Amino acid sequence: MNQPFTYELKHICKQSGARLGVLHTPHGDIPTPIYMPVGTAACVKAMTPREMDEIGTKILLSNTYHLHLRPGEKLIEEAGGLHKFMNWDKPILTDSGGFQVFSLAGIRKIKEEGVAFRSHLDGSLQFIGPEESMDIQQALGSDIAMAFDVCSPYPCEYKDAKINMERTHRWAERCKQHHTREDQALFGIVQGAFYKDLRVESAKVLRDMDFPGYGIGGLSVGEPKPVMYEMLDEIRPYMPEDKPRYLMGVGTPDCLIEGVLRGIDMFDCVLATRIARNGTVLTSKGRVVIKNGAFAHDFGPIDENCDCYTCQNFSRAYVRHLFNCKEITGGRLASIHNLRFLIHMMEEIRDAIAHDCLLDYRDDFYARYDLTKNF
């Protein structure tokens, strides 16, 4: 019987060492490197599943914490699982809820058993531990589940980072022991904050647990980007070559390129839709605040190099008009564009890897993309 989840490393870029691969899952194959749009509450904000399919989405991420609180995993299981509930027939990854609990500082208490916290919805007392996280994710029926972990803040003391890392390892063991769903892959998560020796230790410990894939957590939590890149460089030699590597919560264009150059296969981030709803769009030259008055008479597309529905049919002036009139279609059109921009960018990156020219692609990107400001 074929395994329901496998990773196939297809090519290594001769110029950069970046990886080209395929994740085989029960709901379809995922080309890597890949950007995963975030559908927190079983929906990518402002988007329909049909639109997500049309822009080339291969996998979505949904949020264990939020779905547990509302509508509850039992209701979703009753509906036939998350895929049927949200009418999405391609792969889904669910996070463990660990990061959301981490972000609830002040209304949660971490113990060895798990985390007790107050619901942000109604203040009710809740508890999630490794076993509970596995039960929730197995009921949801995602293709990829994440182990329950402890994320350290930036900055943090060495002793605290070590405590959190070691607890993450113990929780990973408990997750693995409790997880029984054969058509769902369970990924471990490397922690260790911003200390090289802890990051290496975590990568080694989790590698020895032999998960089918590995998340890298606790980065992009406020640290400078060069620090994040340094941590990725440090752990790369200790990550299994035959397993996918997922940099959690990272998805700006420059970080996608730099992550791929450091051997990362999977990314996710809410940035694309969050900034879209606030009137900022991604372009091949940098971020553009489409609400600015400079675009009132600009009848060109958001990005002349983009093939999305928005750019093929509407002008900057029109999208700006929608935002200024507070029409919800403005946020929808900007979301369609931003998501397609990142998905198309990953298509270009995969093509560059296949043709052994990713460093050339990076140099061209930095030559035209202004990282310093919004236009």
Side-chain angles (χ1 to χ4, degrees), residues 204-262:
K204 289 180 176 179
V205 168
L206 288 164
R207 179 189 64 192
D208 292 344
M209 291 186 194
D210 194 28
F211 287 95
Y214 295 90
I216 301 166
L219 296 177
S220 192
V221 292
E223 79 282 5
K225 289 180 181 179
V227 174
M228 176 175 70
Y229 301 152
E230 186 178 14
M231 294 301 105
L232 295 177
D233 286 332
E234 200 67 29
I235 65 174
R236 183 175 184 177
Y238 305 97
M239 303 295 287
E241 287 289 329
D242 61 344
K243 304 288 179 67
R245 307 157 183 173
Y246 163 31
L247 180 55
M248 306 177 72
V250 174
T252 59
D254 54 322
C255 287
L256 293 177
I257 292 176
E258 297 298 335
V260 170
L261 287 170
R262 289 162 174 80

Side-chain angles (χ1 to χ4, degrees), residues 1-5 24-27 80 83 92 137-145 179-186:
M1 181 177 177
N2 293 330
Q3 292 182 333
F5 181 97
H24 302 286
T25 81
H27 285 90
H83 291 87
I92 298 173
Q137 293 184 78
Q138 290 183 116
L140 295 175
S142 54
D143 298 87
I144 302 172
H179 185 265
T180 58
R181 186 158 183 160
E182 294 182 356
D183 63 346
Q184 183 183 66
L186 174 63

Side-chain angles (χ1 to χ4, degrees), residues 5 34 80-81 103 106 131 172 181 218 230 289 313 326 359 364 368:
F5 181 97
I34 196 75
S103 67
E131 292 78 14
R181 186 158 183 160
E230 186 178 14
V289 181
N313 292 279
K326 295 182 170 51
L359 294 182
D364 178 66
R368 55 184 167 78

Side-chain angles (χ1 to χ4, degrees), residues 98-207:
F99 181 80
Q100 282 66 43
V101 171
F102 154 78
S103 67
L104 296 173
I107 57 173
R108 49 90 168 147
K109 183 175 182 181
I110 301 175
K111 302 183 293 184
E112 186 62 27
E113 294 79 13
V115 183
F117 60 95
R118 294 285 178 182
S119 165
H120 73 285
L121 297 175
D122 59 11
S124 61
L125 185 62
Q126 303 283 333
F127 177 85
I128 296 179
E131 292 78 14
E132 288 78 10
S133 179
M134 293 300 95
D135 288 340
I136 297 167
Q137 293 184 78
Q138 290 183 116
L140 295 175
S142 54
D143 298 87
I144 302 172
M146 302 303 297
F148 196 60
D149 63 329
V150 188
C151 182
S152 295
Y154 176 83
C156 68
E157 297 292 333
Y158 183 91
K159 62 180 179 60
D160 296 324
K162 184 175 177 63
I163 289 170
N164 290 339
M165 178 198 71
E166 290 175 344
R167 178 167 283 163
T168 291
H169 296 166
R170 293 192 296 273
W171 284 3
E173 285 280 14
R174 286 167 56 185
C175 286
K176 192 170 184 181
Q177 291 172 8
H178 196 77
H179 185 265
T180 58
R181 186 158 183 160
E182 294 182 356
D183 63 346
Q184 183 183 66
L186 174 63
F187 282 22
I189 302 178
V190 175
Q191 289 289 351
F194 305 93
Y195 299 98
K196 295 179 180 180
D197 61 326
L198 296 183
R199 283 284 173 181
V200 170
E201 179 183 350
S202 187
K204 289 180 176 179
V205 168
L206 288 164
R207 179 189 64 192

Side-chain angles (χ1 to χ4, degrees), residues 42 67 71-83 85 139-140:
L67 291 175
E73 65 275 11
K74 295 302 181 185
L75 185 148
I76 293 174
E77 187 175 34
E78 180 185 344
L82 189 53
H83 291 87
F85 185 60
L140 295 175

